Amino acid sequence: MRKIYKNAKQSLILFLYLRVNVENSYILVTGANGGIGQATIKELQKSPLILVGRDESSLKNLRDTLDDPKKHKIIQADLSSHEGIQSFITILKNARCKVKAFVHIAGICYLAGAKNFEYKSMLEMMNVNLFSALEVIRTLSRKPFSEYFENTVLLSSISSQRGVKSEALYASSKNALEAIVRGFAIELAPKVRINAVAPGMIFDTKMTGHLYSQEQKNFIESEYPLGTGKPEDIADAIAYLLSPKSKWITGQTLIVDGGNSIKGQ
């Protein structure tokens, strides 16, 4: 009887230990300061979060708007260079946080044609959009992070699905993310799921808000059966892919674009 009681007690302790570890695991979110980033942070705030962005004061202000600011951490990082990415990875390792999920929202939209793009600007965009995500996934897939790591959502774009003048370079970075999703989903299964969300046009972000005139915005909106979206629409999709409700989904790109991609010419 004592042996049974002892085993039951050990099982309860193990259960409580695992539960505490799960509850104390963080969701790492890059691009936290942007429109989609802020909406995602607010949607996910019931879980402990690590907010990553370029502007530390903006990160602190964002954290202060959350229901329980003290349970979230911030990391100031510039992901536009190799040195900046490696510095961020070092900080992440030294923080010794248990990261259960990674959401990569950080991005640069570099518009340039085939005849006039600049290598330096293109490399900066690829560092932010692609290479930084690869480095984080590699880090989280290794010990000691791998014990807790179980999910990744990368932010793509519907521009990866079509040819648009001056957007080829930007689209190539998003296409690469989707290729990573498909390949890594096989490599990391069954422990880790990885998916992407491909938004249509979202005007309420720092990246896109200044790119178009009001006339252009009106025309673009007319091309969307459901109108253009809000950052919250993308945050909801990200939250779904992080939740147990999507437990049988991996290696996929979820298009969230108000029906734009299904329209005929």
Side-chain angles (χ1 to χ4, degrees):
M1 186 69 180
R2 288 181 178 178
K3 186 176 181 180
I4 295 175
Y5 172 76
K6 184 178 180 181
N7 290 339
K9 185 177 181 180
Q10 289 175 338
S11 298
L12 177 61
I13 291 172
L14 178 60
F15 170 76
L16 292 174
Y17 171 78
L18 291 173
R19 183 179 178 186
V20 167
N21 273 272
V22 170
E23 290 179 349
N24 288 338
S25 296
Y26 288 83
I27 299 175
L28 174 68
V29 184
T30 65
N33 284 331
I36 294 175
Q38 290 182 34
T40 301
I41 292 298
K42 292 178 180 179
E43 178 66 27
L44 301 178
Q45 64 176 299
K46 289 184 179 179
S47 296
L49 304 173
I50 301 175
L51 286 60
V52 183
R54 289 189 181 190
D55 189 332
E56 187 174 8
S57 62
S58 295
L59 290 173
K60 290 179 179 178
N61 291 337
L62 175 58
R63 182 176 60 180
D64 288 342
T65 67
L66 302 180
D67 294 338
D68 186 4
K70 292 184 179 179
K71 76 176 182 180
H72 309 295
K73 298 182 181 295
I74 63 172
I75 297 179
Q76 187 277 329
D78 183 352
L79 304 179
S80 63
S81 68
H82 174 73
E83 293 75 18
I85 294 171
Q86 295 308 311
S87 175
F88 166 60
I89 294 298
T90 298
I91 294 171
L92 181 62
K93 289 179 177 179
N94 290 339
R96 299 183 181 276
C97 294
K98 301 163 186 172
V99 179
K100 66 179 180 181
F102 167 46
V103 181
H104 185 60
I105 300 174
I108 294 176
C109 183
Y110 174 52
L111 302 180
K115 297 180 181 179
N116 60 1
F117 70 86
E118 297 177 357
Y119 176 78
K120 181 180 179 181
S121 298
M122 182 182 70
L123 181 59
E124 180 178 309
M125 179 189 66
M126 295 300 282
N127 280 328
V128 176
N129 295 7
L130 176 63
F131 299 143
S132 60
L134 283 169
E135 284 294 304
V136 172
I137 293 171
R138 178 169 66 171
T139 300
L140 297 180
S141 299
R142 294 176 171 180
K143 292 183 179 180
F145 293 100
S146 58
E147 184 177 353
Y148 307 96
F149 183 42
E150 59 187 27
N151 208 332
T152 289
V153 179
L154 307 178
L155 193 69
S156 183
S157 167
I158 60 165
S159 65
S160 68
Q161 312 289 324
R162 59 186 64 184
V164 179
K165 184 178 179 180
S166 299
E167 287 190 16
L169 299 176
Y170 173 70
S172 69
S173 71
K174 298 303 186 177
N175 246 315
L177 284 178
E178 293 182 20
I180 288 167
V181 163
R182 293 188 292 271
F184 282 8
I186 297 171
E187 289 186 37
L188 300 176
K191 186 177 184 301
V192 179
R193 295 191 298 113
I194 176 168
N195 294 286
V197 173
M201 180 57 66
I202 307 291
F203 288 127
D204 299 336
T205 70
K206 293 179 181 178
M207 187 173 73
T208 60
H210 67 283
L211 293 178
Y212 305 95
S213 67
Q214 188 58 51
E215 183 179 358
Q216 289 172 319
K217 290 180 180 180
N218 292 339
F219 172 77
I220 291 171
E221 186 166 7
S222 70
E223 294 292 303
Y224 283 73
L226 299 182
T228 53
K230 299 293 184 182
E232 290 76 16
D233 297 318
I234 311 307
D236 288 342
I238 292 171
Y240 167 69
L241 290 173
L242 291 176
S243 76
K245 293 182 179 181
S246 63
K247 65 182 179 181
W248 209 43
I249 300 175
T250 194
Q252 305 301 312
T253 296
L254 176 60
I255 297 175
V256 185
D257 71 344
N260 179 262
S261 57
I262 63 170
K263 280 190 62 179
Q265 297 297 323

